[in-house]
Amino acid sequence: AQKVTQAQTEISVVEKEDVTLDCVYETRDTTYYLFWYKQPPSGELVFLIRRNSFDEQNEISGRYSWNFQKSTSSFNFTITASQVVDSAVYFCALSEANNNDMRFGAGTRLTVKP
Amino acid sequence: EAEVAQSPRYKITEKSQAVAFWCDPISGHATLYWYRQILGQGPELLVQFQDESVVDDSQLPKDRFSAERLKGVDSTLKIQPAELGDSAMYLCASSPARLAAMFHEQYFGPGTRLTVT
């Protein structure tokens, strides 16, 4: 069965620090997608990125970057020069080709202090 | 910008009572999802619709939960009777995708926070 582990329950940083959120996944499928979502205090999850299992190219979007490594089954998320508005719970999620389900990790609560 | 609407935002009910949540997805989105998110955990899929048809309800506790999307637009999730363990956030999401919808980004509503006393 698919499984997503976010070992960091809570992280606290000071504004302008860089921070990396870890995500480790388990799957037996060769075709799958990985996602990151942000959940601010308002409650709705906001899509950040999607990556398929055949594309290991890292991606950068502004202050956000993602490092996908199949060899270690990890899909880590880095925020550079963090800001107070980055404070939220961040979820990593996995969807497999043979399983109609999106499995979320338990989330990492990031607090950025001014 | 189009959004997924949910109501109510908060609901307090006594156990054994019936409760219902409503979701209006983004216009034109074929696929609609209901998730349950227990405090401190990630969302768990309850049911997935494509248009008015149920694609997957294997995780829906059918003895007490029901969901419908009669006209393939808005949807209602009902719990009857509610139990203490049902206290959670109930999230609705939609996607324009039809094929392999789970491989596409989902747009989430703000959720309904249910407290069962």
Side-chain angles (χ1 to χ4, degrees), chain A residues 14-104:
Chain A
V14 177
E15 205 169 21
K16 298 184 182 178
E17 287 184 7
D18 298 348
V19 58
T20 296
L21 309 181
D22 297 333
C23 174
V24 175
Y25 62 93
E26 296 178 27
T27 179
R28 295 179 180 178
D29 270 13
T30 56
T31 302
Y32 54 89
Y33 278 77
L34 294 162
F35 300 79
W36 276 95
Y37 282 86
K38 173 182 180 180
Q39 187 174 38
S42 53
E44 76 282 6
L45 276 78
V46 177
F47 168 81
L48 295 177
I49 191 172
R50 176 184 69 161
R51 175 67 73 223
N52 74 58
S53 52
F54 300 105
D55 181 4
E56 287 192 72
Q57 188 173 9
N58 291 329
E59 182 157 337
I60 299 174
S61 176
R63 296 184 297 106
Y64 295 171
S65 62
W66 290 269
N67 183 1
F68 177 28
Q69 292 193 340
K70 290 178 71 172
S71 61
T72 56
S73 296
S74 66
F75 186 42
N76 296 337
F77 173 31
T78 297
I79 302 175
T80 302
S82 60
Q83 300 177 1
V84 173
V85 293
D86 295 328
S87 296
V89 181
Y90 290 86
F91 291 97
C92 180
L94 166 69
S95 287
E96 296 173 317
N98 295 319
N99 188 358
N100 187 62
D101 189 8
M102 179 176 288
R103 189 62 58 92
F104 286 82

Side-chain angles (χ1 to χ4, degrees), chain B residues 25-60:
Chain B
I26 294 173
S27 179
H29 280 198
T31 303
L32 183 146
Y33 308 87
W34 282 102
Y35 289 87
R36 176 171 59 186
Q37 184 180 18
I38 295 171
L39 189 63
Q41 299 182 18
E44 297 177 316
L45 181 68
L46 292 174
V47 61
Q48 177 186 350
F49 289 92
Q50 182 172 309
D51 300 313
E52 67 278 4
S53 300
V54 174
V55 172
D56 185 353
D57 62 357
S58 57
Q59 301 302 312
L60 189 70

Side-chain angles (χ1 to χ4, degrees), chain B residues 1-86:
Chain B
E1 182 177 326
E3 297 178 341
V4 176
Q6 288 189 249
S7 67
R9 292 293 308 276
Y10 304 92
K11 179 71 178 179
I12 300 174
T13 191
E14 295 182 349
K15 63 180 181 179
S16 79
Q17 296 298 305
V19 63
F21 314 128
W22 177 79
C23 172
D24 190 12
I26 294 173
S27 179
H29 280 198
T31 303
L32 183 146
Y33 308 87
W34 282 102
Y35 289 87
R36 176 171 59 186
Q37 184 180 18
I38 295 171
L39 189 63
Q41 299 182 18
E44 297 177 316
L45 181 68
L46 292 174
V47 61
Q48 177 186 350
F49 289 92
Q50 182 172 309
D51 300 313
E52 67 278 4
S53 300
V54 174
V55 172
D56 185 353
D57 62 357
S58 57
Q59 301 302 312
L60 189 70
K62 298 180 189 62
D63 57 334
R64 297 184 300 106
F65 285 65
S66 64
E68 59 184 16
R69 193 184 183 199
L70 293 177
K71 297 182 179 179
V73 181
D74 58 339
S75 175
T76 301
L77 178 69
K78 297 179 181 178
I79 307 175
Q80 182 175 16
E83 296 181 353
L84 295 178
D86 296 332

